[in-house]
């Protein structure tokens, strides 16, 4: 069976969604595709590259691109919408935030994530340094918050955490954190130079 990079990434995301990151191995992806593990290495050199490819595929979600597109929406609403869209995209996939976090740490992928946020900040009137700081802060907040949220849900399912996650309180806490970052940028842009 002939496979390509897209086949490998599609299969890997399927394995991730079914089994989670701890059980995502090159061997398991190969078995899912019905090929020998060595066949994958023609398309993906190692597991870190696989995780980066998965992260880039996850972040290519059309809803995230739509949230980042230049629109007539005010920058603060656009930035808030982007943060919420990013959280939703990460939550669509089991351990999605952890995969994106690993990819950010390895710097093998997801480079457009922070640049999209920075572009929104620039449209608010932020200078390059402030735009990059907001992009970094918002990225780490959303990915970290969602990572913790997904970890807690997995622990609850495994019986390792007491009680269910309070979805309403979690959503409120997330929105509050995003608002603080947006308010910080608003204050910085409004301050006299």
């Amino acid at each position: 069976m002939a496979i390509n990079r897209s086949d490998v990434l599609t299969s890997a995301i399927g394995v991730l969604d079914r089994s989670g990151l701890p059980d995502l191995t090159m061997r398991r992806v190969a078995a899912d595709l019905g090929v020998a593990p060595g066949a994958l290495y023609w398309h993906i050199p190692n597991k870190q590259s696989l995780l980066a490819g998965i992260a880039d595929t996850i972040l290519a979600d059309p809803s995230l691109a739509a949230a980042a597109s230049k629109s007539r929406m005010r920058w603060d609403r656009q930035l808030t919408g982007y943060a919420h869209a990013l959280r939703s995209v990460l939550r669509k996939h089991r351990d999605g935030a952890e995969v994106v976090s690993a990819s950010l740490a390895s710097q093998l992928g997801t480079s457009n994530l922070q640049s999209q946020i920075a572009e929104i900040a620039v449209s608010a009137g932020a200078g390059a340094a402030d735009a990059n700081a907001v992009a970094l802060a918002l990225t780490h907040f959303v990915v970290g918050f969602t990572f913790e949220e997904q970890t807690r849900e997995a622990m609850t399912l495994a019986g390792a955490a007491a009680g269910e996650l309070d979805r309403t309180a979690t959503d409120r806490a997330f929105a509050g954190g995003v608002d603080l970052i947006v308010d910080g940028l608003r204050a910085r842009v409004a301050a006299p130079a």
Side-chain angles (χ1 to χ4, degrees), residues 7 39 50 56 79 106 118 128-129 136 139 155 165 180:
D7 295 330
L50 178 67
D56 286 343
L79 195 57
S106 70
L136 187 65
T139 298
M155 291 174 72
L165 189 66
L180 281 173

Side-chain angles (χ1 to χ4, degrees), residues 95-122:
D95 299 328
E98 186 173 359
V99 170
V100 170
S101 179
S103 182
L104 287 168
S106 70
Q107 298 182 339
L108 291 174
T110 67
S111 60
N112 67 334
L113 175 60
Q114 292 178 0
S115 65
Q116 289 174 333
I117 297 169
E119 286 177 22
I120 297 169
V122 167

Side-chain angles (χ1 to χ4, degrees), residues 61-83:
D61 188 287
S63 65
L64 195 55
S69 70
K70 294 183 179 21
S71 68
R72 294 182 180 199
M73 187 181 300
R74 282 190 353 221
W75 71 266
D76 51 350
R77 289 186 180 169
Q78 187 180 12
L79 195 57
T80 300
Y82 188 90

Side-chain angles (χ1 to χ4, degrees), residues 14-25 28 47 94-95:
V15 171
L16 176 71
D17 288 343
R18 287 188 308 274
S19 304
L21 186 56
D23 291 329
L24 175 63
T25 63
R28 188 169 246 175
K47 187 165 180 185
R94 184 172 176 180
D95 299 328

Side-chain angles (χ1 to χ4, degrees), residues 7-33 40-41 44 46-55 58 93-96 98-100 102:
D7 295 330
V8 174
L9 293 174
T10 299
S11 176
I13 290 171
V15 171
L16 176 71
D17 288 343
R18 287 188 308 274
S19 304
L21 186 56
D23 291 329
L24 175 63
T25 63
M26 298 296 260
R27 185 174 301 282
R28 188 169 246 175
V29 173
D32 192 63
L33 287 167
L40 301 184
Y41 294 102
I44 307 284
N46 53 45
K47 187 165 180 185
Q48 282 308 117
S49 294
L50 178 67
L51 293 178
I54 292 170
I58 288 171
H93 299 281
R94 184 172 176 180
D95 299 328
E98 186 173 359
V99 170
V100 170

